[in-house]
Amino acid sequence: MVVVAGHKSGLSRISDTSGDGLADRYEVLTDAFSYHGNYHSYVHGPVRDPGTGDYFITLNLAHNNDGGYFNGGGKYMGTAGGYRGWAARVPKAGGFEPWADGLRSPASLGVAPDGRLWYVDNQGEYVGTSKIFVVKPGAFYGPPAGLIDRPGMTPDSPEIAWEAVKHTKEAAVVLLPQLKLANSPGNMAWDTTDGGFGPFGGQMFIGDQTQSVLMRVATETVDEVEQGVAIPFARELESGIMRPVFLPDGSLLLGQTGRGWQAKGGKVSSLQRVVWDGAPVAPAIRTMEVTDTGFKVLLTRSLGEELEVADIAAAISLESWTYRDAPDYGSDELGSRTETITRVVLNEARDELTVTLGTTLQPQVHEMQTARVYHLELDGPGLWGESTEQEPGLEALYILHRFAPATEAVMHPDTTTDGWRDLLASDLSNAEFPHGVWTSSEAGVLTASADEVLWTKQDYGNFDLDLEFKTADGTNSGVIFHASDTGNWIPNSIEVQIADDYSPVWSTRDRTWQCGALFGQLAAARRAVHSPGEWNRMTVSVRGREVVVLLNGHRVIDADTGLWTSGTHNPDGSAIPAWLSTPWAELATRGRIGLQGKHAEAPVWFRNLRVRDVD
């Protein structure tokens, strides 16, 4: 019997050569790194490269409570040299090869089924929250203290100062948000049971020492960038989860400790085994994937047959934020916002939700911000049917570097094809407006001299409307549709806002008042309007309560207005202006189309207005 063990002073191969159950041979595979009495100078690992048989270890920075270490500008953790803050490869015959640097407290280490080496660093200096990385040879991961062991470097070398190296650090694949998921993550293990542990094949399982929880992690590659989702799996375990191992029978063994830092489970140590009994698993979020407009949420069970899409949408909440990496300890949640969900699509099997967001833009709030966390919760009565027990507050946290590329180009339609016609006659005889207010030039440019709406005489239900418009300084206009009462149109229609977003007046207003928004209730996904004096192109497509708006080649609105069931608050909880008192879900789905005139004393111009009815 042979055991290879890591300990503070090295990596050793321990053998029982006589077969009596007692170790009788001890071999040092490596001790080529610093060893001292600092309590935080851990050695993590080893894990083994399945291809070569070599070992990998990571070396913790020391806690600089006595001031005798180089901190690299950080607050607590440092090194006296000797490859602290590094990952190293140890050949199976012995030796020491520095592998990667910039590590802080890398207590989690694992080799994935594809042979890649992964590690997790704990929140602290230069680590805004705990992070999961792929370890690459020669790569740098964050805290610069350990860089003094690069050839020729000293604590005074400007080449290893944070400002010199901060933009060279690797990006984490997944973040584990502090307190919400983890404080001190342990090792990871992958489900390779081929269905023996339920519907989680290929996912990473990772525990946390402080929180006494077990999580699942699933990754995907989007536009050559790897990112993924972290999902709670088990809570209230007996101690801190540091060593999960899948056994040959498909069960998961959890080695646990509360030594050093208290674990919420309360016990100093524990060994628990998780077994799937083959019964249908409890309702859970199986995984979460990114799309070009939001996310796809895959469930372990089908949602209840009686649920309408509006009920499901009401049960979803989505918050997002980011962190920043800096010399001080950890990071607050930065740039927090409630995400607006504009559409939810349920597949036929009722176990997959496609969620469209109001915007996919990610604000830049700090120079060294991390990927953005999207925290989705699914919680509501009767989601799984009356007879199904549900764990309260199902959640998943997607760590996003980028949304998926658009599956198809966003293109305005060719309005010269069959079915398209002019919205308005050249003499405006098929429109209604106060005499003399609206005029059309010989070139077909339409404008108004007063704040009066031009209405079509015809009602429209499902339609596509394509047009061009031009703003002036301070323009505030709009395209109105499904107006069931033109005498009181504001609460009885929907308006696509047209505005000069560059003016001091409108650039500082709420985004639901800016160009491309569904006025007062849903902001455009991005600013796409041109400067005053330039022509813009807009396409409005309406199918029942589903609305898509294109502006200058960008999809700025993609919404199911049936989700707006309140006359006072939007689905994201924000307030609706009091004068828009009729919920969109209660509006007529057929009515007049209108163009708002010279509102706020600023003109607007329209041309090439083309429309087609859609069955």
Side-chain angles (χ1 to χ4, degrees), residues 182-520:
N183 288 53
S184 304
N187 271 18
M188 63 275 286
W190 281 262
D191 179 1
T192 57
T193 64
D194 195 24
F197 199 69
F200 309 116
Q203 293 188 5
M204 175 195 297
F205 284 75
I206 183 169
D208 187 77
Q209 193 272 339
T210 302
Q211 298 291 334
S212 299
V213 298
L214 186 66
M215 300 159 276
R216 295 183 284 113
V217 173
T219 64
E220 60 178 339
T221 299
V222 178
D223 204 16
E224 300 184 353
V225 175
E226 194 165 10
Q227 57 191 27
V229 62
I231 305 169
F233 179 74
R235 301 183 187 273
E236 299 181 2
L237 295 162
E238 291 186 341
S239 191
I241 317 303
M242 292 301 292
R243 296 292 182 267
V245 178
F246 277 99
L247 300 179
D249 65 359
S251 64
L252 180 60
L253 190 67
L254 303 177
Q256 305 171 46
T257 181
R259 182 178 178 273
W261 286 264
Q262 269 196 330
K264 285 189 175 179
K267 292 191 175 182
V268 174
S269 63
S270 181
L271 191 65
Q272 291 180 282
R273 191 162 69 104
V274 184
V275 180
W276 181 43
D277 62 5
V281 298
I285 296 172
R286 180 166 61 85
T287 191
M288 186 170 167
E289 300 170 352
V290 74
T291 69
D292 61 325
T293 59
F295 297 98
K296 188 176 291 184
V297 182
L298 290 79
L299 307 170
T300 59
R301 300 279 285 272
S302 297
L303 291 164
E305 292 289 341
E306 303 301 318
L307 288 173
E308 301 291 339
V309 169
D311 300 322
I312 299 168
I316 300 172
S317 62
L318 187 59
E319 306 285 332
S320 73
W321 66 88
T322 187
Y323 300 96
R324 60 96 177 97
D325 296 325
D328 54 347
Y329 194 96
S331 170
D332 294 332
E333 295 174 4
L334 305 177
S336 299
R337 71 185 184 197
T338 299
E339 298 293 333
T340 299
I341 295 172
T342 62
R343 185 191 299 275
V344 175
V345 177
L346 180 63
N347 70 338
E348 186 175 352
R350 302 182 70 83
D351 61 359
E352 182 178 300
L353 300 171
T354 302
V355 178
T356 300
L357 305 184
T359 182
T360 56
L361 296 181
Q362 300 179 68
Q364 186 72 27
V365 298
H366 192 276
E367 178 193 10
M368 297 304 298
Q369 72 186 47
T370 65
R372 194 166 186 86
V373 180
Y374 286 80
H375 183 195
L376 181 141
E377 293 185 280
L378 182 62
D379 190 13
L383 284 176
W384 315 97
E386 295 299 328
S387 61
T388 304
E389 292 186 8
Q390 176 195 354
E391 291 291 329
L394 301 184
E395 59 181 323
L397 295 94
Y398 195 98
I399 314 305
L400 186 131
H401 291 282
R402 60 187 61 184
F403 284 95
T407 54
E408 57 185 33
V410 177
M411 299 179 63
H412 294 276
D414 178 0
T415 63
T416 64
T417 57
D418 290 346
W420 287 92
R421 67 182 188 277
D422 290 334
L423 178 71
L424 301 170
S426 58
D427 61 359
L428 305 182
S429 57
N430 62 343
E432 295 178 349
F433 56 90
H435 179 73
V437 170
W438 284 85
T439 57
S440 181
S441 71
E442 290 185 5
V445 176
L446 187 67
T447 192
S449 60
D451 184 10
E452 297 288 351
V453 177
L454 177 150
W455 296 107
T456 60
K457 291 182 179 179
Q458 177 183 336
D459 287 345
Y460 290 86
N462 295 340
F463 66 88
D464 294 320
L465 173 64
D466 190 77
L467 58 88
E468 293 178 82
F469 69 87
K470 182 171 63 174
T471 65
D473 291 339
T475 291
N476 176 9
S477 181
V479 176
I480 305 156
F481 64 90
H482 286 174
S484 58
D485 181 353
T486 58
N488 185 28
W489 64 270
I490 291 177
N492 293 297
S493 64
I494 296 177
E495 177 187 356
V496 182
Q497 176 77 337
I498 291 175
D500 169 23
D501 287 355
Y502 301 90
S503 73
V505 175
W506 304 117
S507 64
T508 57
R509 295 304 296 262
D510 187 271
R511 291 181 56 242
T512 62
W513 289 46
Q514 294 178 346
C515 197
L518 299 187
F519 180 77

